Amino acid sequence: MKDLHKELQQRKAQHLYRSRRVSDGPQQPEMIIDGKEVICFCSNDYLGLANHPEVKAAFIKGIEHYGAGSGAAHLINGHSRAHHALEQALAEFTGYPRALLFSTGYMANLGLAQALVGMGDTVLEDRLNHASLLDGGLLSGARMMRYPHNAAEELDTKLASRTTGEKLVLTDGVFSMDGDIAEVPALANICQKHGAWLMVDDAHGFGVLGANGRGTLEHHGVATADVPIYMATLGKALGTAGAFIAGSDELVETLIQKARTYIYTTASPPAVAEATRASLNIIKSHPELRGRLKNNIHYFTSCCEQTGIELTNSQTAIQPVIIGDTQTTVAVSEQLLDQGILVTAIRPPTVPEGTARLRITLSATHSHAHIDKLVTALGVIK
Ligand SMILES: *Cc1c(COP(=O)(O)O)cnc(C)c1O
């Protein structure tokens, strides 16, 4: 048996030790975390729906009707009317024939790759893809190839080198640690040329990008027919929990037959599906929430420019401040916390070595006064 104590000590010495903070109360910009009042700039609750009164009311009503738990997997007797209605609403909203719910985004990504490809096939991934896409590719048993970030031409070359087997290309829609948007039109073209599946994981685009909040495809004006597999999570902009994969009738039926993370797990509570349907309705009927988020992104980036704080060219709610060195990044994050501002330090292996960063995320619920405080604090430290 290896010495776990020693391994943990080594991690601490390398400033790579991870620990949790305990929050009291709902997700919102002002929170009590570890007993201290802080303004948070690290949540994925981009539109403030995690604590929205209509979403909470739908959740409570769902519990009254369906009880707390689903009781079983979807293929046993855990698939409720609530799940079914949400799947139909998601299919209609995204413009795909069908959508299938998964209990988490991580599981959706593992299940998809394993259901579609295996030995003799190839999975191609952007170098900066989310860990769940990488793990999905590895678990599938297919050969894994990674292409440089957003480099459609290199993908073209790599696809051309694979002459046999199925080819599955996986990409984040909005890159989770960088905030930039995948070049979906170029990727879709190349995938069509090589007869490869393209899957876009839109965890950070769904609900926020595009005039109607339909996400990265709407942002680019790409037709659903050009992206055969669309995945998004429900625990970020939608403020609840879970995920879905949208695609053709045949794709969804294949996942129901074969995706192990769909088959061998308990369905999420039906009330979560009811709450998510309420979130989706808010996304459809309140475009001003996206407007407020956009305004906050613009306000933050222009304040940083005036103060001389260097940002990347991200146009989304994810605004990284790249620091590079792990130890300095952790120290800066601690200094911010001393000033009552919570921004998490993101370190390797979550991001490549030498690119440790503060990952700032903005929400429609932040006020300009919150953002002023953040920019002032960053300006003092920079
Ligand atoms: C958060 C995230 C996931 C995982 O989704 P969960 O529902 O939290 O498991 C998958 N892909 C991307 C790009 C993500 O950001």
Side-chain angles (χ1 to χ4, degrees):
M1 281 193 314
K2 63 181 174 180
D3 185 344
L4 295 182
H5 179 74
K6 193 170 139 208
E7 203 174 272
L8 290 168
Q9 291 306 318
Q10 277 169 355
R11 237 171 215 268
K12 278 187 186 158
Q14 295 166 328
H15 306 280
L16 293 174
Y17 198 81
R18 300 165 188 256
S19 44
R20 302 169 303 168
R21 298 187 182 88
V22 180
S23 69
D24 285 291
Q27 278 297 318
Q28 50 195 22
E30 293 178 30
M31 293 179 71
I32 310 280
I33 294 191
D34 283 346
K36 183 179 155 75
E37 278 181 39
V38 291
I39 308 171
C40 298
F41 288 95
C42 45
S43 171
N44 301 313
D45 180 27
Y46 298 121
L47 300 176
L49 298 186
N51 191 36
H52 192 286
E54 286 171 33
V55 178
K56 288 199 288 186
F59 210 144
I60 292 164
K61 210 171 144 208
I63 290 173
E64 279 164 358
H65 189 79
Y66 292 98
S70 72
H74 284 278
L75 287 169
I76 309 300
N77 71 347
H79 185 67
S80 68
R81 179 69 55 200
H83 296 117
H84 212 68
L86 176 59
E87 288 181 344
Q88 284 170 345
L90 288 167
E92 191 188 324
F93 183 69
T94 56
Y96 282 88
R98 295 276 300 273
L100 185 72
L101 285 174
F102 283 77
S103 296
T104 71
Y106 194 106
M107 291 165 69
N109 287 344
L110 294 191
L112 175 99
Q114 168 262 318
L116 286 190
V117 293
M119 284 247 289
D121 299 327
T122 312
V123 172
L124 298 104
E125 306 219 18
D126 188 291
R127 195 165 284 286
L128 298 187
N129 271 356
H130 189 263
S132 58
L133 289 173
L134 301 177
D135 291 356
L138 286 171
L139 191 72
S140 73
R143 163 138 183 221
M144 273 265 279
M145 295 176 102
R146 295 171 80 175
Y147 57 91
H149 183 46
N150 247 337
E153 281 169 25
E154 311 240 6
L155 172 64
D156 193 9
T157 311
K158 285 196 159 45
L159 276 170
S161 76
R162 307 302 295 162
T163 49
T164 57
E166 291 289 309
K167 290 165 237 172
L168 172 65
V169 175
L170 305 175
T171 183
D172 280 25
V174 174
F175 287 87
S176 58
M177 297 299 140
D178 292 74
D180 58 338
I181 302 171
E183 300 294 344
V184 179
L187 297 176
N189 259 330
I190 288 163
C191 288
Q192 272 161 22
K193 179 171 137 191
H194 295 281
W197 300 91
L198 173 62
M199 186 238 211
V200 173
D201 169 345
D202 213 13
H204 298 278
F206 186 62
V208 292
L209 288 188
N212 299 292
R214 295 205 181 99
T216 298
L217 307 198
E218 189 183 20
H219 167 86
H220 280 301
V222 174
T224 54
D226 294 332
V227 178
I229 312 166
Y230 180 79
M231 174 274 187
T233 65
L234 305 171
K236 286 164 182 157
L238 273 79
T240 58
F244 69 92
I245 293 176
S248 67
D249 186 43
E250 292 79 7
L251 174 75
V252 166
E253 287 301 321
T254 300
L255 293 174
I256 294 171
Q257 314 309 313
K258 293 172 73 176
R260 296 171 67 83
T261 56
Y262 183 77
I263 301 168
Y264 298 108
T265 199
T266 301
S268 64
V272 175
E274 292 292 83
T276 307
R277 217 143 49 93
S279 288
L280 193 61
N281 284 334
I282 293 168
I283 285 188
K284 287 185 205 163
S285 56
H286 292 279
E288 75 278 7
L289 289 176
R290 283 186 291 284
R292 241 177 265 162
L293 177 61
K294 227 181 213 168
N295 174 290
N296 279 345
I297 296 166
H298 181 71
Y299 184 70
F300 173 72
T301 53
S302 50
C303 288
C304 282
E305 197 175 327
Q306 282 164 22
T307 319
I309 296 161
E310 203 180 319
L311 298 175
T312 64
N313 61 1
S314 164
Q315 306 291 307
T316 66
I318 302 169
Q319 292 287 329
V321 175
I322 313 271
I323 293 177
D325 171 63
T326 300
Q327 189 176 354
T328 315
T329 309
V330 173
V332 170
S333 153
E334 278 165 8
Q335 283 173 41
L336 288 172
L337 189 57
D338 287 342
Q339 297 181 58
I341 292 172
L342 184 65
V343 176
T344 37
I346 306 284
R347 297 163 279 185
T350 308
V351 292
E353 206 62 54
T355 70
R357 66 197 64 188
L358 299 173
R359 177 176 179 268
I360 294 164
T361 54
L362 298 163
S363 165
T365 52
H366 283 120
S367 66
H368 283 193
H370 291 141
I371 296 171
D372 289 339
K373 281 190 186 148
L374 169 65
V375 173
T376 305
L378 286 171
V380 170
I381 295 164
K382 74 167 176 181

